[in-house]
Amino acid sequence: MSSCSRVALVTGANKGIGFAIARQLCRQFSGDVVLTARDAARGRAAVQQLQAEGLSPRFHQLDIDDLQSIRALRDFLRREYGGLNVLVNNAGIAFKSDDPTPFDIQAEMTLKTNFFATRNVCTELLPVIKPHGRVVNISSLEGLKALDNCSEDLQERFRCEMLTEEDLVDLMKKFVEDTKNEVHEREGWPSSAYGVSKLGVMVLSRIQARNLDEKRKGDRILLNTCCPSWVMTYMAEDYSSRAAEEVVETPVYLALLPPDATEPHGQMVWDKVVQIW
């Protein structure tokens, strides 16, 4: 591939929201679309399904919990395309409401993937985002709900414009530690590991956007987080209200913001509307 070729990449794209985003990008993005999945067989099966629809995605294995897997993907993008134009961080996990796994274990595993692994993907791939690139971190309205259910002190800390990425990492580690010590409620945390993980993604996105402005302002990279709402996926099950194809409009809209766009940037977006938090 030529380093001039354009490429969009979606993590966790073998099913659900990620698959629907990859499908729409195959239809609308002017360049290659790389579908990634932790399980190579499932990822290739998803690619074959899209090929049967007349689309032409590429596949690359990616386990976001494995730093070496992330770096192998980064090296592939550098070698094949000279970088990356669009990154959609969709991969994530959620425990079902009736899962018997102890809450502290749920908290550790959920934040490991949804926050810390997503951060690792950004750490490795943001440096190879090309000028006018677009980054979309998939969050959830559960993140906003978690913020509302935090203590006033925690809310103030999360909303602080001066919060650094290192400060945020410390807060996320503290939540996990507080759950292990069974003091998370006393310390002002909500009892939703998924919500806290997505709150972390929201705040991380705001910090990352600010850092891009400071370090690569002339490149006009736009980075946002969004909520695609409840959907008919393996996570939502019977509680979903709309099929995946109907709710990927916002992440695809953010991924395809035109080159001359200057906003939204560093925002939480739902149904293409910026949410104030």
Side-chain angles (χ1 to χ4, degrees):
M1 292 291 174
S2 167
S3 61
C4 296
S5 299
R6 287 167 49 80
V7 59
L9 182 139
V10 186
T11 71
N14 61 288
K15 59 185 175 182
I17 287 288
F19 181 78
I21 292 172
R23 173 188 277 137
Q24 290 303 320
L25 287 178
C26 283
R27 293 171 175 168
Q28 301 180 44
F29 178 71
S30 59
D32 288 349
V33 175
V34 177
L35 180 156
T36 72
R38 179 177 56 187
D39 186 291
R42 292 177 180 176
R44 292 193 176 95
V47 165
Q48 290 175 356
Q49 182 177 341
L50 293 179
Q51 289 174 337
E53 299 174 13
L55 304 174
S56 302
R58 299 188 70 182
F59 173 72
H60 197 286
Q61 191 274 342
L62 172 65
D63 179 356
I64 70 170
D65 286 324
D66 181 350
L67 187 57
Q68 293 308 310
S69 178
I70 298 172
R71 289 174 174 168
L73 174 63
R74 176 203 62 194
D75 293 344
F76 162 80
L77 293 168
R78 281 176 171 166
R79 181 175 64 252
E80 295 283 311
Y81 299 97
L84 179 61
N85 299 94
V86 173
L87 169 63
V88 181
N89 278 310
N90 167 76
I93 66 170
F95 283 84
K96 295 178 173 60
S97 59
D98 60 351
D99 193 295
T101 304
F103 184 67
D104 64 314
I105 303 301
Q106 291 192 29
E108 182 175 30
M109 295 179 65
T110 302
L111 266 72
K112 176 187 176 184
T113 296
N114 293 1
F115 177 76
F116 291 105
T118 296
R119 175 176 178 255
N120 285 340
V121 172
C122 291
T123 298
E124 298 298 329
L125 297 190
L126 286 185
V128 304
I129 295 287
K130 296 180 181 180
H132 303 284
R134 303 291 180 250
V135 181
V136 185
N137 294 329
I138 302 298
S139 183
S140 169
L141 290 183
E142 290 299 307
L144 290 174
K145 183 178 178 181
L147 178 62
D148 289 340
N149 289 331
C150 283
S151 66
E152 290 186 5
D153 176 66
L154 283 174
Q155 288 187 36
E156 183 177 346
R157 295 175 72 180
F158 280 123
R159 290 187 170 114
C160 178
E161 293 291 338
M162 302 304 294
L163 189 74
T164 67
E165 190 167 330
E166 291 72 22
D167 294 334
L168 177 60
V169 167
D170 288 342
L171 279 170
M172 296 291 100
K173 289 180 177 178
K174 185 178 187 304
F175 170 70
V176 174
E177 189 64 26
D178 285 348
T179 64
K180 291 184 180 299
N181 294 326
E182 299 183 345
V183 297
H184 66 281
E185 291 184 350
R186 190 178 74 197
E187 292 295 313
W189 296 101
S191 292
S192 171
Y194 182 77
V196 172
S197 74
K198 291 304 186 178
L199 169 59
V201 171
M202 284 169 45
V203 181
L204 178 66
S205 300
R206 185 184 64 196
I207 294 170
Q208 290 173 336
R210 186 176 70 221
N211 291 342
L212 284 171
D213 285 344
E214 293 173 355
K215 299 175 181 178
R216 299 185 59 183
K217 188 173 182 62
D219 289 344
R220 300 179 71 172
I221 297 168
L222 298 182
L223 184 154
N224 293 282
T225 185
C226 72
C227 172
S229 187
W230 283 108
V231 294
M232 191 65 70
T233 69
Y234 76 105
M235 282 190 182
E237 296 186 301
D238 295 337
Y239 300 100
S240 56
S241 59
R242 292 183 284 181
E245 289 293 347
E246 297 175 359
V247 295
V248 299
E249 184 178 2
T250 295
V252 173
Y253 152 74
L254 293 172
L256 299 179
L257 288 168
D260 60 349
T262 58
E263 58 183 27
H265 180 50
Q267 302 292 343
M268 168 64 165
V269 183
W270 180 41
D271 281 350
K272 298 172 69 172
V273 176
V274 171
Q275 305 298 300
I276 305 302
W277 57 277

